[in-house]
Amino acid sequence: MFTNVIVKKPCHSMIDGITTANLGKPNYELALKQHAAYIQALKACGVNVTVLEADEAYPDSCFVEDTAVLTRKFALITNPGAPSRKGEVAAMVPVIKQFYGEDQIEYIKAPGTLEGGDVMMVGDHFYIGISARTNKEGAQQFIAALEKHGMSGEMVPLYTILHLKTGLSYIENKNLLISGEFLENPTFSKFNHIEVAEGEEYGANCIWVNGKVLVPAGYPQTQKAIEALGYEVLVVDTSEYRKVDGGLSCLSLRF
Ligand code: CIR
């Protein structure tokens, strides 16, 4: 169960965030409204939401998931692989220190890089995507920190997608939303696969929060498949974040 969530309001410069999407620039006013609705959906899951103010210096700073991995035993402060995002971490450290003691904070150090979007938590085991943003050195540092705290991790090479959780979401009870390059990967054969339909790949990024699942608006087959498993689904529109390669998980840290 999660008790806390941290989010950060999008800044106006989010319209110039890093993107490969080719969907045009986000509408900032709509992005703000969608962010407010996202916070409401999280609150409906019974968590306390800490809302950080926007930071114009960092266009992608609303995607707080990439700056930290918050486990039940310790907090990992990352070193994002995207050069324009490295500076986002400094503002997150004092916030995370409100929730974790000094001896519960670990750091990814250069040349290691890691972004939280590449980390999928399954109980006390963590899958770490090796991507354009997260390198092996970063993953090794994280695995060492996990083992120090009695947990474990393993690496998963990525080929075509941005982050691990762009194509995979663990929604508890052995249920895994899965798409594209992960379908045939034996690492994930032990899970109950909920295969994301062709054309709905963006819907693979959902979040489980205390028994409910937040699903992006516009992915009806994915929504139905999750509802068929008995979950209560909360639909949240993230159309403006999709334009800068962001999804539901990227917008928060849940712990
Ligand atoms: C980026 O490319 O870094 C941002 N525009 C999107 C980050 C998405 N984050 C995530 O999947 N965890």
Side-chain angles (χ1 to χ4, degrees), residues 9-32 34 54-63 239-246:
K9 288 184 188 163
C11 53
H12 190 267
S13 63
M14 66 90 71
I15 63 169
D16 296 317
I18 308 170
T19 188
T20 57
N22 239 335
L23 294 170
K25 285 209 188 277
N27 173 322
Y28 180 58
E29 293 307 317
L30 184 53
L32 281 175
Q34 291 179 346
D55 183 351
E56 283 301 333
Y58 295 102
D60 289 299
S61 53
C62 59
F63 300 118
S239 64
E240 303 316 291
Y241 299 93
R242 184 183 177 194
K243 292 174 182 170
V244 280
D245 291 347

Side-chain angles (χ1 to χ4, degrees), residues 3-217:
T3 313
N4 289 296
V5 170
I6 299 172
V7 300
K8 188 165 191 156
K9 288 184 188 163
C11 53
H12 190 267
S13 63
M14 66 90 71
I15 63 169
D16 296 317
I18 308 170
T19 188
T20 57
N22 239 335
L23 294 170
K25 285 209 188 277
N27 173 322
Y28 180 58
E29 293 307 317
L30 184 53
L32 281 175
K33 284 191 188 130
Q34 291 179 346
H35 201 261
Y38 178 70
I39 292 170
Q40 285 315 311
L42 289 166
K43 286 186 174 164
C45 300
V47 289
N48 301 315
V49 184
T50 300
V51 183
L52 307 177
E53 287 309 315
D55 183 351
E56 283 301 333
Y58 295 102
D60 289 299
S61 53
C62 59
F63 300 118
V64 282
E65 178 181 63
D66 295 316
T67 62
V69 180
L70 303 182
T71 80
R72 87 189 162 79
K73 295 193 178 166
F74 72 99
L76 179 83
I77 309 293
T78 70
N79 177 23
S84 66
R85 301 201 57 191
K86 288 191 190 292
E88 290 175 26
V89 166
M92 295 302 293
V93 175
V95 180
I96 289 165
K97 283 187 174 167
Q98 291 169 22
F99 297 95
Y100 290 85
E102 259 335 306
D103 59 341
Q104 292 178 297
I105 300 194
E106 308 284 349
Y107 295 84
I108 298 294
K109 298 187 181 89
T113 64
L114 186 140
E115 294 189 1
D118 277 320
V119 176
M120 183 174 79
M121 176 177 82
V122 178
D124 281 351
H125 187 72
F126 293 75
Y127 295 92
I128 309 157
I130 304 304
S131 68
R133 304 288 183 86
T134 296
N135 63 19
K136 282 191 181 157
E137 168 67 28
Q140 270 154 2
Q141 289 180 23
F142 181 34
I143 291 170
L146 285 165
E147 289 174 354
K148 176 177 152 192
H149 293 272
M151 303 162 109
S152 59
E154 71 180 86
M155 299 186 203
V156 181
L158 302 193
Y159 302 103
T160 58
I161 58 167
L162 172 63
H163 283 127
L164 183 73
K165 282 184 297 193
T166 311
L168 276 184
S169 299
Y170 185 61
I171 56 170
E172 303 296 321
N173 305 311
K174 290 202 150 201
N175 293 323
L176 184 69
L177 280 174
I178 185 163
S179 67
E181 65 182 73
F182 300 117
L183 285 164
E184 302 307 324
N185 188 328
T187 304
F188 302 110
S189 59
K190 56 180 159 298
F191 295 101
N192 173 30
H193 283 191
I194 300 123
E195 194 173 323
V196 174
E198 234 180 274
E200 289 206 4
E201 287 78 5
Y202 179 81
N205 184 262
C206 290
I207 49 175
W208 176 97
V209 187
N210 300 344
K212 302 187 202 310
V213 180
L214 272 62
V215 176

